Amino acid sequence: MALFAFSVAPMTGSESVSAAVAEAVRIVRESGLPNRTTSMFTEIEGEWDEVMPVIKAATDAVAAGGHRTSLVVKADIRPGAAPGQIDSKISRVEEKLATGDEPHARQ
């Protein structure tokens, strides 16, 4: 199991890349894998062999415009982790914040 965060965009002179990014996000959503999109990255969860083809397809869709393409990928590879880490990882942090459970004392 792994969590991947990636950002893909054409390297063009235009200010807006939203149409190309929207196509990449559509491909991720149609994959059926757990995912979310923020202003900076799209996150997707699954096994390495099922996620990487989705990232490649999203990148290929953006590159179809014929421009150079920028791709940034970050992976949190979690052997033996149960599915659902895309949400539970955030929940654990929020729980710590809500209970005031801080690992380091403030100075």
Side-chain angles (χ1 to χ4, degrees):
M1 181 63 54
L3 296 171
F4 295 83
F6 77 100
S7 174
V8 60
M11 296 174 65
T12 69
S14 80
E15 289 188 27
S16 179
V17 296
S18 60
V21 172
E23 181 60 18
V25 171
R26 182 189 62 76
I27 289 167
V28 171
R29 290 181 179 175
E30 288 180 353
S31 75
L33 295 171
N35 67 84
R36 74 167 52 90
T37 300
T38 66
S39 60
M40 296 290 290
F41 288 96
T42 294
E43 298 173 8
I44 185 169
E45 177 180 29
E47 296 297 330
W48 182 271
D49 292 338
E50 62 187 351
V51 173
M52 291 310 289
V54 176
I55 293 174
K56 182 182 184 318
T59 303
D60 289 346
V62 169
H67 300 287
R68 288 176 63 183
T69 304
S70 171
L71 173 66
V72 175
V73 179
K74 182 173 181 174
D76 179 1
I77 301 165
R78 306 172 68 98
Q85 295 300 308
I86 197 167
D87 293 320
S88 62
K89 189 173 179 178
I90 294 169
S91 295
R92 288 189 297 272
V93 171
E94 291 296 335
E95 181 180 317
K96 297 285 186 197
L97 291 170
T99 63
D101 185 8
E102 297 181 36
H104 303 288
R106 292 185 182 172
Q107 296 183 11

